[in-house]
Amino acid sequence: MGKVLSFLLIVLFFASCSEYQKALKSEDVAVKAKVANEMYENGKYSKALRLYEQLAPAYKGKPQAERIFYFYSKSYYLTKQYYLAAYQFENFAASYPKSEKREEASFLAAECYYRLSPRFSLDQVDTDKALTKLQKFIDLYPNSEYLPKANEYVKELTDKLEEKAFKIAKQYHDIADYRFEYATAIKALDNFILDYPGTKYKEEAMYYKFDSAYKLAMNSIPSKKEERLNVAKTYYNSLMKFKADSAFKDKADDKLAMIDKELQQYSKQ
């Protein structure tokens, strides 16, 4: 029985391959469409895609085109060709505004850009594009079944941009070794805090801003040192006001003691 079943499976496999090859070479679009749909339904998306690519020009503008172009777009998506899938889904949504698949196509187009978004350390052009597409979808379909997933993607992508912005700002602090560079680090960290007021990195950003100001003050020329020491002290106070039990408190307290020691010389004058 087992041998018979294996034999039948082999026969069906080669019959399927033969049918597919014939469809690829056929001039009959109906044959191509039938086999393409069979391949799609059987999860053979790459094969289905080759046939849909051949079918697309022939079906454009025809009544059956909506179904063909939906499967065509989905085949790109299911084979992880996200740039092409996004393009096709957007075309589908624009071409068939009354389609019951339009909402799904609009969401999947945005999701494609989400999937193209790289890790935070790389260029974030696709992340920005994904956020724009997702927000447009949310505005267009505020009651969509895909809304929770769209909001989840937006949060994840926003967190990624926030992390990248923080790492860039902190890098100015990490590489600074001269007065001008400390000032640049303070500005970068300050801008980050202003741009992301609710960020989870705020405590760190405030500490590194204080630390940059401390180093700037301690390495300042005499005519600017007192003023800069006092500025650094205000950054310390801001950090403690934000989080009195900061993880950086011990290090910050040590630096504050050095600032107060330096300031003593000015109080004696």
Side-chain angles (χ1 to χ4, degrees):
M1 183 66 181
K3 289 182 179 179
V4 173
L5 183 59
S6 298
F7 175 74
L8 288 173
L9 289 173
I10 291 168
V11 169
L12 287 171
F13 172 76
F14 282 107
S16 172
C17 289
S18 175
E19 184 184 27
Y20 173 67
Q21 292 300 328
K22 286 178 182 177
L24 278 176
K25 297 171 184 176
S26 176
E27 297 296 323
D28 189 334
V29 292
V31 170
K32 286 184 186 293
K34 176 179 175 293
V35 176
N37 292 337
E38 286 174 359
M39 292 293 164
Y40 181 91
E41 287 164 10
N42 290 324
K44 298 176 181 178
Y45 304 117
S46 295
K47 287 186 174 181
L49 183 55
R50 286 190 66 191
L51 290 167
Y52 287 134
E53 285 172 340
Q54 292 181 353
L55 285 167
Y59 270 87
K60 211 164 190 179
K62 292 185 177 180
Q64 311 97 312
E66 181 182 329
R67 187 167 185 266
I68 291 292
F69 278 95
Y70 171 75
F71 287 137
Y72 183 27
S73 305
K74 261 318 249 312
S75 296
Y76 275 126
Y77 174 81
L78 292 167
T79 54
K80 300 183 179 182
Q81 298 182 66
Y82 294 123
Y83 280 118
L84 292 169
Y87 175 78
Q88 291 299 336
F89 278 130
E90 288 178 336
N91 269 356
F92 179 89
S95 300
Y96 304 101
K98 295 181 181 179
S99 172
E100 63 177 19
K101 297 291 188 181
R102 184 173 188 258
E103 181 181 325
E104 180 191 359
S106 298
F107 171 72
L108 290 175
E111 189 188 73
C112 285
Y113 288 106
Y114 159 79
R115 296 191 180 282
L116 287 164
S117 173
R119 64 180 183 272
F120 80 90
S121 59
L122 300 177
D123 188 279
Q124 296 300 308
V125 170
D126 284 325
T127 302
D128 290 330
K129 192 175 289 186
L131 282 168
T132 299
K133 301 289 185 182
L134 285 163
Q135 192 57 57
K136 184 178 178 181
F137 174 81
I138 290 167
D139 293 342
L140 195 60
Y141 299 102
N143 301 310
S144 172
E145 64 177 292
Y146 302 106
L147 192 64
K149 184 59 72 173
N151 284 327
E152 180 186 319
Y153 289 159
V154 167
K155 184 181 185 310
E156 185 180 332
L157 296 174
T158 302
D159 287 349
K160 185 186 293 187
L161 291 179
E162 184 179 303
E163 182 179 7
K164 184 176 181 68
F166 173 67
K167 296 294 185 183
I168 290 172
K170 184 177 178 294
Q171 189 173 34
Y172 283 103
H173 163 274
D174 294 344
I175 64 173
D177 62 0
Y178 190 69
R179 288 193 297 271
F180 174 76
E181 291 173 342
Y182 294 133
T184 302
I186 293 167
K187 183 67 175 173
L189 289 158
D190 200 33
N191 285 341
F192 171 77
I193 293 167
L194 288 171
D195 290 341
Y196 299 92
T199 177
K200 64 182 178 182
Y201 301 107
K202 188 169 183 177
E203 179 187 350
E204 284 184 78
M206 292 180 78
Y207 170 72
Y208 290 119
K209 179 182 170 183
F210 161 65
D211 187 53
S212 297
Y214 164 78
K215 290 172 179 173
L216 174 63
M218 298 300 282
N219 290 281
S220 286
I221 57 176
S223 62
K224 293 186 176 181
K225 191 167 188 176
E226 182 182 12
E227 178 188 356
R228 287 175 173 170
L229 287 166
N230 281 314
V231 168
K233 196 167 182 176
T234 65
Y235 294 162
Y236 169 88
N237 291 334
S238 294
L239 173 61
M240 291 302 108
K241 185 177 179 180
F242 175 70
K243 194 163 194 226
D245 61 344
S246 170
F248 301 98
K249 189 176 189 312
D250 289 345
K251 290 193 283 187
D253 285 349
D254 289 343
K255 291 180 172 67
L256 178 66
M258 294 296 294
I259 289 171
D260 286 337
K261 184 178 179 181
E262 288 293 318
L263 283 171
Q264 284 177 5
Q265 64 181 300
Y266 298 100
S267 61
K268 295 174 184 177
Q269 293 176 3

